[in-house]
Structures are given as C-alpha cells and as structure tokens.
Amino acid sequence: MDKAHELVKEWNSRRMIDKIVQVNIPSVWTFDYAVIGSPISGKKVLVEPFIHNYQKFNSNTGWADNDTPWPRVMQALSHFSYHVSSGQFVLCDLQGGVYGDSVVLTDPVILSRNKMYGVTDLGPRGISSFFSNHVCNEFCSASWSKPADQRRYFRPQAGTSMVGGGGGGTNANQHVPTLEQQLGTLSRILLAHQRSRGLP
C-alpha cells in the first residue's frame, strides 16, 4: 500500500483536478478464539471503512469504464503513475467510492517491471496490456510517457486477474471476488455460526 499512497500523494500534489484521491487502509481482524469449535475461530479478515457509491474504474488487464468523468480521471491517474515513476509502475485496478469532494480507493493494484507486488502484479506484460487499451483523455497530459510495447497480453476484463503460482505460468483470467461477494460469504459464515449456537 505504501507505493499506492506515494503515487496518489504525488497525483494530489500536482492538483490535476479540484478534488482529492484517497486510499483506504485496511486492518487485520482475528475472530476470537473464545468460541471453541467454531469454523471461524482464529480466522483473519481484512476490514476497512464502508465505502458508499462504490464504482469499479479500471482493472489490471486494461479494462476501463470510460463512460463518466471519474473513471476517466482514474485512467489518467493510472497513466500518470507510469509517467511519474519513469515507467516502473502502473497504479490500476482502481475502485472505490465517489464523494462530493473526493474519491476513496480500495484495494488498488501496482503493476511493476519486476513483478514485486504479489499475484495481481502482472508485470511488464500487464503494463503493456494496460496501455494497449488506454486512450488518453482530457485528464491526461500529452507529455506523459508511454511504454514502447503496447501490445495486449491479457484480455481486458472488469475483474482483478492474478498471476498463477507454482510453475511460473500465468492465469490472468482467474477472478478475484468483489468486496460484495466476499462480504456475502462472510455473512453466510457468521449466520451459520449463529444458527449452530442456537442464536436468532
């Protein structure tokens, strides 16, 4: 998250728009061990403040929603992150809540030249795929750099994609559940736990 914060802070300092971009910082919660025998005892979950007016702006495979102003701003932020990092990173998979004076991002992805940011970092091919679908808009600057390789390596899709483990291959079509899907699963687990204890 530090690199995402750094890139967003640089964007805000340049005053590209009259609103600010923020990044939600999650915390890790552990379910209490007091409920012995519960399937969730000791399980860890990421928790962050609830985001209102949730929208998905772009993904880590080059997909983008260009229909309204905020997604176009986020596309420009992704392009800016490449330029300001001298071509080392692309901040993408941008999603979050739109408010009157800001947008609050959650769970962004960093694409890097060295694939150093986990399974959602699709590396140089991810960076190329982002730019294969990127169309500069009114929030981009014509002076911002772009990679020489702008070929599409991954099919653009709205969901987050991951690099496969093990043999070093990729599975860039593996879908990461949305926050809503994850919360639904957590709710079902908690409800089942309540029922197993005879609670209403």
Side-chain angles (χ1 to χ4, degrees):
M1 283 296 229
D2 290 342
K3 180 55 72 178
H5 283 227
E6 177 187 317
L7 293 166
V8 166
K9 184 177 178 182
E10 185 63 28
W11 167 268
N12 287 331
S13 76
R14 305 272 180 109
R15 301 188 189 272
M16 308 279 189
I17 56 173
D18 62 351
K19 306 202 185 313
I20 62 167
V21 177
Q22 301 174 6
V23 180
N24 245 348
I25 301 174
S27 59
V28 177
W29 288 8
T30 304
F31 283 98
D32 195 348
Y33 286 100
V35 185
I36 297 178
S38 168
I40 61 171
S41 288
K43 300 278 184 186
K44 296 183 184 300
V45 294
L46 282 177
V47 179
E48 64 183 5
F50 184 79
I51 295 175
H52 295 275
N53 308 314
Y54 175 86
Q55 289 183 40
K56 178 86 171 183
F57 305 115
N58 66 23
S59 76
N60 64 338
T61 56
W63 173 87
D65 173 3
N66 290 311
D67 294 335
T68 59
W70 270 114
R72 291 194 308 273
V73 169
M74 295 297 106
Q75 278 293 94
L77 171 55
S78 292
H79 185 175
F80 171 81
S81 67
Y82 178 84
H83 174 74
V84 78
S85 69
S86 300
Q88 295 303 302
F89 308 109
V90 172
L91 177 67
C92 60
D93 200 29
L94 301 179
Q95 57 203 325
V98 177
Y99 299 89
D101 61 346
S102 66
V103 65
V104 178
L105 300 176
T106 180
D107 196 25
V109 166
I110 303 266
L111 303 176
S112 68
R113 289 275 168 218
N114 299 324
K115 295 173 103 175
M116 55 195 276
Y117 288 97
V119 296
T120 56
D121 180 352
L122 302 178
R125 288 183 168 202
I127 292 171
S128 295
S129 291
F130 172 83
F131 280 98
S132 76
N133 203 46
H134 176 67
V135 177
C136 285
N137 61 52
E138 68 271 29
F139 301 105
C140 294
S141 170
S143 67
W144 291 349
S145 58
K146 293 182 183 180
D149 180 5
Q150 294 181 34
R151 288 178 287 183
R152 177 174 293 158
Y153 292 95
F154 303 110
R155 180 177 50 87
Q157 61 183 25
T160 304
S161 296
M162 296 186 291
V163 175
T170 62
N171 182 1
N173 294 319
Q174 185 172 351
H175 176 70
V176 176
T178 64
L179 180 60
E180 290 85 5
Q181 291 167 331
Q182 292 173 16
L183 289 174
T185 300
L186 181 59
S187 294
R188 285 190 296 282
I189 291 170
L190 291 173
L191 183 59
H193 174 70
Q194 275 184 306
R195 287 183 180 151
S196 73
R197 297 200 52 206
L199 300 172

